[in-house]
Amino acid sequence: MAALMNPKWNGQFSCFDLVAKTDTCSRSVVQVRDIEIGGNDFVVMAGPCAVESEGQILQTAGAVAEAGAQILRGGAFKPRSSPYAFQGLGVEGLKLLQKAREATGLAIVTEAMSEEDVDVVAEYADIVQVGTRSMENYALLEALGACGRPVLLKRGMTATLEELLRSAQVIAMAGNSRINLCERGIRTFETATRNTLDIAAVPVLKAVSHLPVIVDPSHAAGVRSLVPILSRAAAVVGADGLIVEVHPQPEKALSDGNQSLTFSEFHRMMDDLQPYLDIQRDSRQLRPQLLAVAGAD
Ligand code: PEP
Ligand code: MN
């Protein structure tokens, strides 16, 4: 990655000393149960936008595990732009995610929307997600410092990479260095896609920060037909994994059905990914350092 370094980036990001790449720490692994994010494996998180029912989450968990995902996603607390949209099942949704973990062995990633949610979400989840609308919610970021769980920090839809790393630094300063950065598309003048996937964010973040970088092609695209090709792009530019929306019946989903893959589409996408992952195989095998666990796990 050294060849990709631009001297400007170093000055811009080096003040975020806990998350910036240094001579002694160039690449970190975030350990989640027996999964290593940022290591040799490309880690796929998949599942519905929102947990809707026991049947929906258990069926999806089984299907994504079978296709090779290691982590189940599913929102219980949903940050919706519209007050009229489905707001999620709350704690009931967390309990269903726990059931799905027991049934499949998948780890769980789910969102906490406010500092008041952090304790209960951390009780059920293996990774706590910070949504795009919350990237600068400093009370939430600080509460994550002591939550004892790794964090998936999504880039704000109008945030620069500097602002993303600033938020990561806030979490790290609060005591939790186990952070995964997530590029999920940013708002631009383009309207053909829901957001614009900033694919360059991946190599830039990998060049300036030691943290793992995950790509969310679903919220970037807004349309399911683009998800497999954006996932391949993420693999080729060196992302450490994906977070992808999958639903048993996307046309009936209570949220984000247009961008959710069916089980068979997800399976096919996973099967087709390997040649693209092979392109980055050597850089994935550089020896990373394991980030220390803050608090109990
Ligand atoms: C989600 O993951 O379903 C979600 C709401 O994502 P974002 O915060 O990136 O919009
Ligand atoms: Mn969604």
Side-chain angles (χ1 to χ4, degrees):
M1 277 288 174
L4 285 176
M5 196 59 177
N6 173 341
K8 177 171 169 257
W9 298 338
N10 197 28
Q12 214 175 342
F13 300 108
S14 55
C15 59
F16 307 126
D17 61 330
L18 299 177
V19 299
K21 188 175 264 195
T22 62
D23 291 344
T24 52
C25 178
S26 68
R27 190 151 164 264
S28 316
V29 158
V30 173
Q31 176 123 19
V32 185
R33 297 164 79 87
D34 60 347
I35 305 158
E36 292 190 343
I37 307 176
N40 296 347
D41 291 343
F42 187 76
V43 175
V44 178
M45 314 177 189
C49 178
V51 180
E52 298 170 1
S53 68
E54 179 166 340
Q56 174 241 24
I57 196 68
L58 289 180
Q59 225 191 318
T60 310
V64 300
E66 223 263 313
Q70 290 175 281
I71 301 178
L72 177 67
R73 64 147 290 147
F77 296 94
K78 292 305 300 173
R80 307 306 304 284
S81 295
S82 165
Y84 305 111
F86 176 58
Q87 306 291 317
L89 297 179
V91 176
E92 190 46 41
L94 296 176
K95 291 185 176 158
L96 295 177
L97 287 167
Q98 185 180 39
K99 256 192 177 172
R101 175 174 52 212
E102 282 159 11
T104 58
L106 292 171
I108 301 294
V109 57
T110 193
E111 178 163 354
M113 280 172 58
S114 78
E115 71 270 28
E116 285 105 48
D117 301 339
V118 167
D119 285 349
V120 70
V121 171
E123 190 183 324
Y124 291 93
D126 299 292
I127 304 175
V128 182
Q129 178 174 325
V130 177
T132 193
R133 296 162 189 79
S134 303
M135 191 203 82
E136 290 189 310
N137 179 344
Y138 278 44
L140 171 62
L141 301 181
E142 278 166 16
L144 292 167
C147 77
R149 300 285 179 210
V151 174
L152 180 74
L153 177 64
K154 287 191 151 194
R155 180 182 185 180
M157 63 181 89
T158 59
T160 63
L161 296 179
E162 186 173 353
E163 288 160 345
L164 173 64
L165 288 174
R166 186 172 70 195
S167 290
Q169 174 83 5
V170 172
I171 300 170
M173 282 177 76
N176 187 356
S177 58
R178 295 194 298 157
I179 304 162
N180 302 284
L181 303 171
C182 179
E183 164 58 37
R184 49 78 70 201
I186 51 174
R187 181 161 288 179
T188 68
F189 51 80
E190 183 54 69
T191 55
T193 45
R194 182 177 179 184
N195 291 285
T196 297
L197 180 62
D198 180 8
I199 199 74
V202 179
V204 172
L205 288 170
K206 296 294 295 179
V208 302
S209 171
H210 59 84
L211 299 174
V213 178
I214 302 297
V215 167
D216 176 344
S218 309
H219 291 85
V223 43
R224 85 176 59 88
S225 60
L226 290 179
V227 170
I229 198 159
L230 295 183
S231 298
R232 289 177 211 148
V236 169
V237 295
D240 295 292
L242 299 171
I243 180 163
V244 181
E245 287 186 339
V246 178
H247 194 282
Q249 290 176 291
E251 68 289 354
K252 295 204 176 136
L254 297 181
S255 58
D256 287 348
N258 286 343
Q259 67 198 33
S260 300
L261 299 179
T262 63
F263 295 166
S264 60
E265 285 166 340
F266 179 67
H267 211 301
R268 199 171 324 128
M269 180 188 104
M270 293 292 280
D271 287 349
D272 290 346
L273 218 45
Q274 196 54 51
Y276 302 92
L277 291 171
D278 289 344
I279 294 168
Q280 284 285 347
R281 193 177 37 215
D282 292 349
S283 59
R284 250 183 267 287
Q285 271 157 8
L286 297 172
R287 193 168 170 71
Q289 80 147 30
L290 188 62
L291 285 174
V293 176
D297 198 324

